Amino acid sequence: MPKVSHASSLREFPLNRAFTWFESGPVLLIGTSWKGKPNAMTISCHMSMGFTPLLGCMLGPWNHTYEILRNTRKCVVSVPGADLMEIAVDIGNCSGESMDKFAHFGLTYRPGEETGAPMIEECLASLECKVIKIPPRGGPYMFILEGIRAWHNPDRREKRTFHARGDGFFIIDGETLNLRDRMTKWQDCI
Ligand SMILES: Cc1cc2nc3c(=O)[nH]c(=O)nc-3n(C[C@H](O)[C@H](O)[C@H](O)COP(=O)(O)O)c2cc1C
């Protein structure tokens, strides 16, 4: 019999803070290039939508990156390690409209082979992407990106990523568990 609770310990949670339970992470950096100027912004509202790979990214019009992405339809999604946590937060608190973030934060980039957008050397991995779906002007602001070439930096000592909890709180990756033996249905796929 299923157990139904009448004196539940569940408490209602403010709907407008509910995203703090679901915001997925890892925190990512979206690199773009416009008129030869590289830029990066921080993003935590994103989701993996397929293995090709496909990524859905909520990226609003208040960001300088928004128009660049609409125009160029190309970007690089980089995965910062926990050692870049403070820099990644700072990158998400200033705009490339008025500054050169790469110079300011002392980051190194290599122009993507397919996209020309900046791949951040200090990150763990970079995925060159094309935008396959532009959101409507009025929102919801979900860009769909398809990865076309992937890179990683195996020399980085810090391998842990970090995840947004919302409201300025973050979680750093913990233990890695190997449950491959249980993946009987998916051995070849995932
Ligand atoms: C931890 C963190 C997560 C963020 N996540 C998002 C996000 O998911 N979507 C978004 O539109 N902006 C997000 N931002 C805000 C942008 O990074 C911020 O507006 C940034 O200044 C945009 O840079 P740009 O103007 O150079 O494009 C986030 C900022 C931080 C610090």
Side-chain angles (χ1 to χ4, degrees), residues 28-32 43 45-59 65 69-70 72-78 115 127-135 141-148:
L28 300 174
L29 297 170
I30 307 281
T32 49
I43 190 168
C45 291
H46 61 82
M47 64 186 291
S48 175
M49 301 176 74
F51 301 120
T52 48
L54 278 187
L55 279 182
C57 294
M58 194 291 291
L59 201 155
T65 302
L69 211 49
R70 289 187 86 96
T72 63
R73 299 191 177 213
K74 288 175 189 160
C75 67
V76 167
V77 177
S78 289
T115 56
L127 181 66
E128 292 193 75
C129 295
K130 62 180 182 186
V131 178
I132 62 165
K133 195 145 192 249
I134 299 265
Y141 306 115
M142 177 69 89
F143 287 82
I144 301 185
L145 312 178
E146 178 166 27
I148 50 179

Side-chain angles (χ1 to χ4, degrees), residues 39 41-45 58-60 63-65 92 94-96 101:
N39 189 37
M41 72 166 273
T42 310
I43 190 168
S44 54
C45 291
M58 194 291 291
L59 201 155
N63 303 297
H64 181 53
T65 302
C94 58
S95 180
K101 293 193 202 179

Side-chain angles (χ1 to χ4, degrees), residues 56-186:
C57 294
M58 194 291 291
L59 201 155
W62 50 87
N63 303 297
H64 181 53
T65 302
Y66 176 84
E67 283 302 330
I68 298 178
L69 211 49
R70 289 187 86 96
N71 286 327
T72 63
R73 299 191 177 213
K74 288 175 189 160
C75 67
V76 167
V77 177
S78 289
V79 186
D83 54 340
L84 293 188
M85 203 153 70
E86 282 92 353
I87 288 181
V89 170
D90 292 350
I91 286 174
N93 279 277
C94 58
S95 180
E97 197 170 4
S98 51
M99 68 189 288
D100 179 340
K101 293 193 202 179
F102 280 88
H104 184 84
F105 294 109
L107 292 173
T108 320
Y109 73 92
R110 170 170 156 192
E113 300 282 334
E114 308 293 329
T115 56
M119 308 197 288
I120 302 174
E121 291 271 346
E122 289 82 359
C123 283
L124 293 169
S126 284
L127 181 66
E128 292 193 75
C129 295
K130 62 180 182 186
V131 178
I132 62 165
K133 195 145 192 249
I134 299 265
R137 285 269 176 204
Y141 306 115
M142 177 69 89
F143 287 82
I144 301 185
L145 312 178
E146 178 166 27
I148 50 179
R149 201 149 166 195
W151 306 80
H152 78 138
N153 190 342
D155 296 338
R156 298 300 296 174
R157 285 189 65 194
E158 176 59 86
K159 308 282 186 208
R160 298 171 304 169
T161 57
F162 62 99
H163 305 250
R165 279 269 315 269
D167 293 339
F169 286 84
F170 297 86
I171 301 170
I172 296 179
D173 274 353
E175 209 180 339
T176 299
L177 302 175
N178 182 348
L179 299 182
R180 283 196 73 85
D181 290 351
R182 308 180 81 89
M183 299 286 279
T184 49
K185 190 174 169 187
W186 302 107

Side-chain angles (χ1 to χ4, degrees), residues 1-11:
M1 282 284 284
K3 293 196 283 183
V4 180
S5 160
H6 294 292
S8 168
S9 55
L10 286 175
R11 299 283 175 270

